[in-house]
Amino acid sequence: MSVQSAVLGQSRIGPKREAKKAVEAYWADKISAEDLQTAAKQIRAENWKNAKDAGIDIIPSNDFSFYDHVLDVSVLFNNIPSKYATAAKEHQLSSLDVMFAMGRGRQRDGVDVEASEMKKWFDSNYHFIVPEFDSTTKFSLSSEVKPVIEYKEAKEAGYETRPVILGPISYLLLGKAGKNADSSFKPLSLLDTLVPVYAELLKQLKEAGAQSVQLDEPVLVYDQPAELAESFKKAYGTLAIAGPAVTIATYFGRITENIDCLKDLPVEAIHIDLDKARGAPEQLEPVIEAIKGTKLKLSLGLVSGRNVWKADLANAIAVGQKAIDALGADRIVVASSSSLLHTPVTLANETKLSEEVKDWFSFSTEKLAEVATIAKALSGKSDEVKDALEKNKKSIAARREFEQKSDAAVRDRLAAVKPEMYNRKSPFPERIAAQQKRFPLPKFPTTTIGSFPQTKEIRQARAKFTKGELSTEDYDKFIASEIDNVIQFQESIGIDVLVHGEPERNDMVQYFGEQLEGFVFTENAWVQSYGSRYVRPPIIVSDVSRPKPMTVKWSSYAQSKSKQPVKGMLTGPVTILNWSFPRIDVSREVQSKQLALALRDEVCDLEKAKIFAIQVDEPAIREGLPLRRADWDAYLRWAVDSFKLSTAGVENDTQIHSHFCYSDFNDVWHVFQELDADVISIEASKSDLKLLEVFKRNAYANDVGPGVYDIHSPRVPSVEELKNKIKEFIQAGIRKDRMVVNPDCGLKTRGWGETEESLKNMVEAAKWAREAFA
Ligand code: GLN
Ligand code: ZN
């Protein structure tokens, strides 16, 4: 009996970012909708071909998206919030344009609608468009049934595929109550009206010839109430017989606690994520136990959809064999752990990695072959894949050997960290008094978050420098003059704690990764973050250390230009880790703490260089949280410890700042106090109410700067508005003797015009507050 191979979804951006180029050209009116579709067809055709060539039995379709697969479902079922529906009607927008309007907003030809809310997709760096519901939401199948269209397109090209669609329960639970919903409204209450429309879709897929369909229900990896099992029974009782055979896919975590939702369903198969690093290999046994007495097939996510590392095939085969022994080969499918959307497209376009390093990795395309090879080996066809297995064994052994000889000094140092290294010398009240003595600041001191506008000139100079068209000397001169400007400007308007503006930095993680040992960088390893926005995370490959100071030169230069304190500016260990592809041979905790030690040295070197205010940014600390609450504490413990380890080496009179953004911090508020930074700044202006709630309930003892204006928009806040903001914050519970006045994030995406005006107004408002709250 042969074990089938499956892939849950492929990367959809194209090997050279073809999707981004086409989509952005369409937005800029440079290509037509037809041209855009042609570009998409090419990407899809290439994906199908790659999967087939690799020997994948179950090839996904409808895994392509121009923007986001959750948004696609909203469009598919005509769940269009009224402002977009109205704009569509009044301006005859195509459904493609409505979709883009929902994804990114639309401001042209008399239409002016904002983008819908975006949220992180589980614990990945992908973001989805949050569906909106209220009790009047009606679903109907759109006239363009994307899953059917793409299924047929594949079929015509000669590929039998399994369409992938987000399942009804996850679609509802990932959504939110819309503006018009009353407070008791629950999206799940719409299940009964949604299921028939899904059933209609499945019927159409069956009529088109589809034999199986993959419905993703990843919400099962979150904590769920026991009653959810009832909803699954109801929904899938209908859907299992409505059309093609159904596989329910889960990923990114364990479903053990929610297995009752799945184990008695009349569907064909369930998929579980067994990826070691980001999935839950430990769920295999309990899941097998739960479904043993049923007919359910089990799809094993054995090849990681989340990381860039080559799979250990021998190990995967051993796991697969265990499942076969328990359930029989005809009930087992071998698959990627999740969609391959979260991994870069192909190693083939990496020309600068050494052969040794390249041999450690597998990107999306290479992972296809791994899945197929495991399935063959488990089907008793080891002979056919003998060479592949042999080669993999050698690669894995070589990597293991490299890991052994990676930096012993770093590991010894980490092992020798003493508990006192995590804490500052004295508690905050003593420290802040010492800091006030060193540089007295007024009440409501003003500062900014770090970056100033990254102008075209800055980007051009950097590009020229990278290409070798600008000498180091000239580039340095250019950066120095940028810093001069930024310092001069801040002094001229009366900012109290200055920054150097970060003109020398391409990116807040890459800049440090490039100067640390233990990272490698790629040329084309992009992954989608949201819409046409892709990121190219550095890869941590070995123990991390800092060969020499990274920021001291420019920070010292900046400080030499002013009598005011100029903040040294670093990215924190947890953020560097969360925005990189981590190693999988050691824990994230170990990597985070190695980074912390490297940064600790940098912090101490800055202090030695007489930089007495040092900011360590941790914008990504919240997003590293595990999916289940039970696992939060363990993560927060090492995340907090990493930050403290990186900052606690300084004297009392050196002021440690930190900055947080991108997230709703309501439920992890206690963490701020534990970090014990002298001053924190937080993005507040966008999530006002939520943040204020937090201040009401918690007394935060150290200095805090809730952002007084939103830097994500070019709008200039008036002095009046800023005064009101300060008032609001104080009314909400921020202590007037502890409040710092700052924007809500770095200014790098802004232009100089609005930056100058906004900051001037901000300083005015702070001056007013000094009087008003004296
Ligand atoms: N210091 C960084 C900046 O100002 C912080 C960026 C961030 O929070 N993402 O650009
Ligand atoms: Zn920020």
Side-chain angles (χ1 to χ4, degrees):
M1 194 62 211
S2 76
V3 170
Q4 285 196 301
S5 56
V7 167
L8 265 53
Q10 298 200 60
S11 173
R12 53 208 184 199
I13 65 181
K16 291 271 174 80
R17 291 184 287 164
E18 286 81 355
K20 177 190 180 74
K21 286 169 199 158
V23 163
E24 291 183 352
Y26 174 72
W27 291 341
D29 287 331
K30 289 187 184 131
I31 64 170
S32 66
E34 225 168 37
D35 296 339
L36 178 61
Q37 297 294 356
T38 308
K41 273 188 190 149
Q42 266 164 18
I43 294 173
R44 294 195 284 260
E46 199 171 325
N47 277 351
W48 291 323
K49 180 173 188 310
N50 286 341
K52 179 112 185 191
D53 289 352
I56 296 295
D57 302 312
I58 304 173
I59 300 171
S61 63
N62 194 46
D63 52 340
F64 179 83
S65 178
F66 280 122
Y67 206 91
D68 163 44
H69 53 269
V70 182
L71 173 58
D72 289 341
V73 176
S74 293
V75 174
L76 177 65
F77 293 136
N78 276 322
N79 179 25
I80 315 285
S82 59
K83 62 180 170 196
Y84 306 105
T86 311
K89 218 185 227 161
E90 283 172 7
H91 300 268
Q92 275 121 45
L93 299 184
S94 67
S95 79
L96 183 69
D97 286 340
V98 176
M99 182 271 287
F100 283 137
M102 287 166 71
R104 58 192 292 267
R106 186 177 177 97
Q107 199 168 33
R108 58 183 284 175
D109 314 324
V111 181
D112 189 357
V113 284
E114 283 173 2
S116 308
E117 185 186 333
M118 194 166 72
K119 242 195 193 155
K120 265 172 64 76
W121 180 244
F122 298 82
D123 59 355
S124 77
N125 279 329
Y126 176 81
H127 301 73
F128 70 97
I129 300 295
V130 182
E132 290 174 36
F133 308 106
D134 59 46
S135 56
T136 66
T137 303
K138 296 265 179 310
F139 303 102
S140 60
L141 209 49
S142 151
S143 55
E144 288 165 40
V145 189
K146 181 176 176 289
V148 174
I149 295 171
E150 289 177 21
Y151 173 78
K152 286 184 175 162
E153 183 182 309
K155 191 150 201 159
E156 266 156 40
Y159 307 100
E160 181 55 38
T161 59
R162 178 171 76 181
V164 185
I165 307 135
L166 183 64
I169 294 177
S170 291
Y171 177 61
L172 291 172
L173 290 183
L174 290 170
K176 62 170 184 186
K179 265 214 290 301
N180 299 326
D182 53 57
S183 57
S184 64
F185 171 76
K186 296 255 171 348
L188 199 58
S189 64
L190 298 172
L191 189 62
D192 286 345
T193 59
L194 180 58
V195 166
V197 191
Y198 265 88
E200 171 60 25
L201 167 68
L202 296 191
K203 196 175 130 229
Q204 289 194 17
L205 281 169
K206 189 172 187 173
E207 281 162 11
Q211 287 141 34
S212 63
V213 55
Q214 172 190 326
L215 295 175
D216 289 0
E217 293 289 7
V219 293
L220 285 173
V221 306
Y222 284 130
D223 298 314
Q224 298 294 0
E227 306 88 78
L228 198 65
E230 273 313 302
S231 304
F232 268 89
K233 211 176 255 168
K234 250 198 319 196
Y236 284 91
T238 304
L239 298 181
I241 52 171
V246 173
T247 290
I248 299 183
T250 66
Y251 35 81
F252 302 155
R254 60 180 189 272
I255 58 164
T256 328
E257 292 89 335
N258 299 322
I259 187 69
D260 285 350
C261 292
L262 298 182
K263 70 179 200 307
D264 298 317
L265 297 183
V267 296
E268 181 180 41
I270 61 177
H271 172 89
I272 55 173
D273 185 336
L274 301 173
D275 178 25
K276 266 205 193 118
R278 302 311 290 250
E282 75 280 5
Q283 67 180 329
L284 180 62
E285 280 175 25
V287 169
I288 286 179
E289 206 43 54
I291 66 164
K292 229 177 177 165
T294 72
K295 288 204 177 97
L296 281 174
K297 286 189 181 180
L298 187 60
S299 168
L300 310 172
L302 290 170
V303 170
S304 175
R306 289 289 291 277
N307 69 37
V308 292
W309 297 93
K310 201 165 255 185
D312 179 342
L313 296 184
N315 185 62
I317 290 166
V319 175
Q321 193 56 52
K322 233 189 189 165
I324 291 175
D325 292 345
L327 300 175
D330 50 346
R331 283 180 66 185
I332 298 301
V333 178
V334 168
S336 59
S337 69
S338 64
S339 164
L340 299 174
L341 148 77
H342 311 287
T343 68
V345 178
T346 173
L347 265 176
N349 292 332
E350 298 305 326
T351 60
K352 292 189 179 146
L353 295 176
S354 72
E355 285 308 312
E356 183 194 13
V357 170
K358 214 167 152 176
D359 192 47
W360 296 334
F361 302 140
S362 260
F363 295 172
S364 189
T365 312
E366 293 76 32
K367 285 170 188 279
L368 297 170
E370 293 180 346
V371 173
T373 304
I374 299 167
K376 282 236 172 73
L378 287 171
S379 304
K381 296 177 192 154
S382 292
D383 274 0
E384 285 176 34
V385 290
K386 215 169 107 210
D387 289 352
L389 292 177
E390 208 36 57
K391 231 176 123 194
N392 178 265
K393 199 168 149 189
K394 274 198 193 129
S395 300
I396 297 293
R399 169 69 202 170
R400 288 294 108 82
E401 205 188 311
F402 172 86
E403 286 158 6
Q404 297 305 317
K405 0 177 257 233
S406 181
D407 204 337
V410 173
R411 279 175 273 163
D412 292 346
R413 186 178 176 205
L414 185 54
V417 166
K418 302 231 163 47
E420 60 268 24
M421 288 170 72
Y422 290 102
N423 294 313
R424 297 286 295 275
K425 297 196 168 68
S426 305
F428 173 73
E430 272 167 59
R431 299 195 312 257
I432 196 78
Q435 291 157 20
Q436 263 310 95
K437 215 183 255 165
R438 187 193 296 274
F439 45 81
L441 292 173
K443 290 272 176 309
F444 298 97
T446 51
T447 189
T448 62
I449 307 306
S451 55
F452 265 73
Q454 285 259 337
T455 56
K456 201 165 82 208
E457 290 72 31
I458 295 181
R459 287 196 304 266
Q460 274 169 355
R462 189 182 305 127
K464 275 194 186 160
F465 174 59
T466 318
K467 280 191 216 138
E469 291 165 18
L470 196 66
S471 70
T472 308
E473 208 187 352
D474 288 341
Y475 180 64
D476 280 1
K477 254 191 223 154
F478 173 80
I479 296 293
S481 75
E482 288 293 322
I483 292 175
D484 293 347
N485 282 343
V486 167
I487 298 281
Q488 213 171 36
F489 167 70
Q490 295 171 94
E491 284 193 335
S492 76
I493 64 166
I495 299 260
D496 300 301
V497 181
L498 312 192
V499 297
H500 77 290
E502 308 179 20
E504 78 287 15
R505 301 186 187 177
N506 38 14
D507 170 275
M508 65 186 291
V509 170
Q510 194 181 341
Y511 184 74
F512 291 94
E514 281 172 351
Q515 301 188 72
L516 290 165
E517 288 296 333
F519 285 78
V520 299
F521 293 84
T522 60
E523 292 159 81
N524 291 293
W526 299 94
V527 290
Q528 188 180 19
S529 173
Y530 63 88
S532 70
R533 191 78 103 108
Y534 308 162
V535 293
R536 194 176 39 166
I539 307 174
I540 307 179
V541 296
S542 59
D543 293 318
V544 173
S545 62
R546 186 197 70 143
K548 55 178 198 288
M550 304 182 281
T551 62
V552 174
K553 175 177 134 187
W554 288 125
S555 283
S556 306
Y557 175 78
Q559 185 62 79
S560 76
K561 294 282 162 172
S562 179
K563 292 207 166 55
Q564 294 294 112
V566 181
K567 289 190 275 189
M569 195 58 67
L570 306 173
T571 303
V574 186
T575 297
I576 295 183
L577 176 70
N578 280 340
W579 288 348
S580 301
F581 278 117
R583 292 164 71 175
I584 51 171
D585 58 308
V586 293
S587 67
R588 286 202 293 153
E589 168 171 359
V590 164
Q591 295 172 73
S592 177
K593 289 190 173 163
Q594 290 184 354
L595 281 159
L597 285 173
L599 289 161
R600 182 182 178 96
D601 294 344
E602 186 72 13
V603 169
C604 291
D605 279 346
L606 284 168
E607 185 184 48
K608 264 187 224 135
K610 301 202 175 326
I611 312 294
F612 297 123
I614 301 163
Q615 180 171 313
V616 179
D617 292 325
E618 286 288 20
I621 199 166
R622 167 76 172 76
E623 66 183 55
L625 269 188
L627 299 164
R628 288 181 188 275
R629 284 207 175 230
D631 305 330
W632 280 18
D633 280 353
Y635 165 78
L636 289 173
R637 176 71 17 245
W638 62 254
V640 167
D641 278 351
S642 300
F643 176 85
K644 291 174 75 177
L645 187 57
S646 67
T647 52
V650 294
E651 296 300 324
N652 283 342
D653 54 3
T654 294
Q655 188 164 73
I656 296 293
H657 291 236
S658 189
H659 169 69
F660 306 89
C661 56
Y662 298 128
S663 299
D664 165 10
F665 288 99
N666 233 329
D667 43 10
V668 291
W669 174 254
H670 60 283
V671 162
F672 290 138
Q673 194 66 61
E674 287 168 26
L675 294 172
D676 198 27
D678 298 305
V679 186
I680 60 170
S681 59
I682 348 170
E683 177 179 296
S685 50
K686 272 201 305 188
S687 47
D688 281 350
L689 292 172
K690 284 182 200 157
L691 192 91
L692 295 182
E693 271 301 303
V694 160
F695 279 112
K696 256 180 225 158
R697 280 188 278 110
N698 301 273
Y700 179 71
N702 305 11
D703 281 11
V704 56
V708 291
Y709 77 89
D710 177 10
I711 60 87
H712 302 87
S713 131
R715 233 186 119 253
V716 175
S718 68
V719 179
E720 215 40 48
E721 218 176 300
L722 291 162
K723 286 185 195 169
N724 284 334
K725 203 81 211 190
I726 295 172
K727 244 193 273 176
E728 249 176 61
F729 285 139
I730 288 173
Q731 275 159 9
I734 301 245
R735 288 168 52 180
K736 57 182 191 226
D737 56 336
R738 297 267 66 100
M739 183 174 168
V740 179
V741 176
N742 48 251
D744 74 344
C745 195
L747 300 162
K748 59 176 165 261
T749 55
R750 293 273 57 86
W752 263 104
E754 70 255 20
T755 296
E756 280 178 9
E757 280 186 65
S758 302
L759 291 179
K760 269 185 205 158
N761 291 353
M762 186 184 89
V763 172
E764 278 318 300
K767 282 186 183 152
W768 164 85
R770 282 166 206 158
E771 308 263 303
F773 298 101

